[in-house]
Amino acid sequence: MFEHQPTDRWIAVENFLSDAVVHPDSSLRHAVASALAAGMPPIEVAPNAGKLLKLLVQLSGARRVLEIGTLAGFSTIWMAQGLPDGGRLVTCEYLPKHAEVARANVDDAGLGHKVEIRVGAALDTLQALQDEGAGPFDFVFIDADKENNAYYLEWAIRLGRSGTTVVMDNVVWEGAVLDPGMDEVNAPGIISALEMLGGDPRLDATVIQTVGSKGWDGFALARVR
Ligand code: SAH
Ligand code: DHB
Ligand code: MG
């Protein structure tokens, strides 16, 4: 009945916007290509979302950024591009292979001196960061295993400060937030995090739905009170 599925149009518009407005540089385009070549899943944020992360880092004046979920470093590079001289980003990645690809991409982008990639389960790395007295982080991007999203939010508060910006990816998950049976592994963690975003007095938050190359999803934006 329809000539195109909505998804085709969403992707066409996203590509147009990316070319017309977003302008990912060659290091970002290389990061996506390298991930694909390495057989990694194409689950990095869309370019317009990556640029939003960069702008939010700049607008918030962040000097210390914490990322949970590195993949090939696409979102890492966007955020590190928003850091001032002397700014630092710590990113947590479980898989050594992903961390290795990300390291090469971050170095290729000329950002190696700003970015530390920590390999291991993020919950362990976050505990280690606290034990080391790292932080406070001004900006936290949560984008790893969705089951732990509420725990990651707790860590964002713990390692943050009043005014810390928190962004959480994948909070709509094709609508599974209304129908957890669609994904019994990930939906409950996403829903728990949304309940915390809306109910925890230490947070002030909103959620934006998105469509495009990554399907139907959304991200939460929160501020630590
Ligand atoms: N932020 C990236 C995409 C991250 S995809 C971008 O937009 O470019 C999610 C990543 O989280 C994957 O690389 C996966 O290996 C990693 N991950 C999954 N579980 C994890 C855990 N428990 N601790 C740390 N990283 C984890
Ligand atoms: C998956 C993870 C992500 O962070 C994402 O943006 C999309 C998909 C996944 O694990 O399938
Ligand atoms: Mg994501």
Side-chain angles (χ1 to χ4, degrees), residues 43-45 141-144 146 169-170 173 217:
I43 56 174
E44 69 284 342
V45 295
F141 179 47
I142 300 171
D143 191 24
K146 314 312 168 192
D169 195 23
N170 309 115
W173 209 243
D217 215 324

Side-chain angles (χ1 to χ4, degrees), residues 2-76:
F2 297 102
E3 216 177 307
H4 300 281
Q5 293 296 320
T7 318
D8 297 329
R9 301 280 287 164
W10 296 340
I11 294 170
V13 170
E14 179 179 303
N15 289 337
F16 165 74
L17 295 175
S18 195
D19 292 345
V21 177
V22 176
H23 307 310
D25 69 12
S26 60
S27 73
L28 287 158
R29 295 194 304 271
H30 173 73
V32 173
S34 74
L36 214 67
M40 293 160 66
I43 56 174
E44 69 284 342
V45 295
N48 56 330
K51 182 76 172 278
L52 177 65
L53 289 170
K54 172 184 173 178
L55 290 165
L56 288 171
V57 166
Q58 291 174 316
L59 288 165
S60 64
R63 301 183 62 84
R64 291 187 230 211
V65 174
L66 173 63
E67 177 176 62
I68 306 173
T70 316
L71 195 68
F74 184 69
S75 55
T76 313

Side-chain angles (χ1 to χ4, degrees), residues 193-225:
L194 289 171
E195 285 167 359
M196 187 170 166
L197 285 162
D200 193 302
R202 299 170 298 172
L203 295 168
D204 201 20
T206 188
V207 175
I208 301 295
Q209 288 194 77
T210 56
V211 294
S213 60
K214 309 299 168 176
W216 174 28
D217 215 324
F219 62 88
L221 176 64
R223 177 182 179 277
V224 178
R225 285 192 206 268

